[in-house]
């Protein structure tokens, strides 16, 4: 048995709920650090950024599930729903931290969404993720059928918008947001039909499409 087989076998014994527990624990730990002054002179901003980065990491993890299975035979499909829902959780508390603890006024929240491009981009990503979170259940999968798969492709533009939001938010050209945007774009390219197929298989697909 190779390393990948042993890894997949080990992952089958790990319940998906550990993703929820770990995410809640991290969110609570970050908030506790902020409340006790461990995050510096601006704890609200630090909490806000930590939650936003966690959401982006989870977006990347969710996008990586299919390419990992396709190219490396690593099977993490059982965790994909939990990753997606915890990603939405972090996006939501990132937004709430900004709106409730930072801005603290509904009219200013709306004004910032309209006037500040990086916030507009971030809100657009949140809006795209909202229907995905609502339909991330077995009932929606059964009711929507193939439409469910098409709907959940909204995760692709949402991921790009999230990375662009981060890139616009930081001051100057910093490495981390550029790397995260690059990783997201690579993961999206790897999902394109035909990527990774042998040359003969790609030629056969083209010939069949022209027939």
């Amino acid at each position: 048995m190779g390393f990948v087989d042993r890894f997949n076998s080990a992952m089958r014994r790990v319940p998906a709920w550990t993703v929820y527990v770990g995410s809640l624990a991290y969110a609570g730990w970050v908030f506790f650090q902020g409340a006790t002054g461990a995050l510096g002179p601006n704890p609200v901003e630090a909490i806000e950024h930590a939650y936003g980065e966690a959401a982006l990491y989870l977006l990347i993890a969710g996008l990586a599930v299919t390419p990992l299975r396709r190219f490396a035979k690593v099977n993490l499909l059982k965790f994909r729903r939990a990753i997606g829902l915890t990603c939405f959780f972090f996006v939501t508390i990132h937004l709430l931290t900004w709106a409730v603890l930072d801005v603290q006024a509904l009219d200013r929240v709306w004004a910032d969404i309209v006037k500040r491009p990086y916030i507009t981009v971030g809100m657009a990503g949140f809006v795209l993720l909202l229907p995905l979170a609502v339909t991330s259940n077995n009932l929606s999968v059964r009711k929507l059928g193939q439409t469910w798969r098409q709907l959940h492709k909204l995760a692709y533009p949402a991921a790009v918008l999230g990375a662009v939001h981060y890139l616009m938010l930081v001051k100057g050209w910093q490495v981390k947001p550029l790397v995260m945007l690059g990783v997201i774009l690579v993961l999206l390219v790897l999902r394109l039909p035909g990527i990774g197929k042998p040359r003969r298989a790609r030629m056969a697909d083209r010939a069949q499409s022209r027939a």
Side-chain angles (χ1 to χ4, degrees):
M1 182 181 289
F3 171 77
V4 172
D5 292 328
R6 291 196 297 272
F7 179 82
N8 288 337
S9 179
M11 287 299 99
R12 281 194 290 270
R13 294 192 290 272
V14 178
W17 56 258
T18 56
V19 177
Y20 301 116
V21 173
S23 298
L24 287 172
Y26 175 72
W29 177 69
V30 168
F31 191 85
F32 174 78
Q33 282 195 310
T36 55
L39 295 181
N42 195 341
V44 171
E45 183 178 281
I47 293 170
E48 186 182 327
H49 289 176
Y51 289 163
E53 283 193 4
L56 269 178
Y57 285 129
L58 287 163
L59 265 173
I60 290 172
L63 290 177
V65 169
T66 295
L68 281 173
R69 186 167 180 257
R70 182 176 177 185
F71 296 103
K73 310 304 179 186
V74 173
N75 191 349
L76 299 173
L77 282 174
K78 66 179 288 186
F79 300 104
R80 187 160 60 183
R81 180 182 296 180
I83 291 171
L85 287 173
T86 52
C87 170
F88 182 76
F89 164 72
F90 275 108
V91 172
T92 302
I93 60 175
H94 167 70
L95 173 61
L96 288 175
T97 302
W98 165 71
V100 177
L101 299 181
D102 190 357
V103 179
Q104 299 182 354
L106 185 60
D107 57 333
R108 287 180 57 201
V109 167
W110 178 249
D112 279 356
I113 292 172
V114 173
K115 293 180 181 179
R116 298 178 184 268
Y118 76 93
I119 296 179
T120 307
V121 169
M123 283 300 300
F126 172 76
V127 169
L128 291 181
L129 289 175
L130 186 57
L132 309 191
V134 172
T135 58
S136 288
N137 55 76
N138 293 334
L139 178 62
S140 295
V141 174
R142 291 195 300 271
K143 292 290 186 181
L144 296 175
Q146 287 300 315
T147 304
W148 186 89
R149 291 183 179 276
Q150 297 302 315
L151 177 65
H152 278 249
K153 289 182 180 180
L154 290 175
Y156 307 159
V160 174
L161 288 171
V164 171
H165 166 72
Y166 188 21
L167 186 62
M168 296 170 70
L169 173 67
V170 298
K171 296 178 180 178
W173 293 93
Q174 297 187 23
V175 173
K176 185 187 287 187
L178 287 170
V179 169
M180 295 180 85
L181 177 59
V183 169
I184 287 171
L185 293 177
V186 168
L187 289 173
L188 292 179
V189 169
L190 290 176
R191 303 177 76 94
L192 294 174
I195 298 295
K197 283 187 177 182
R199 185 170 181 271
R200 288 184 178 180
R202 292 199 302 269
M203 292 177 66
D205 288 345
R206 290 194 199 104
Q208 185 176 4
S209 66
R210 289 194 296 264

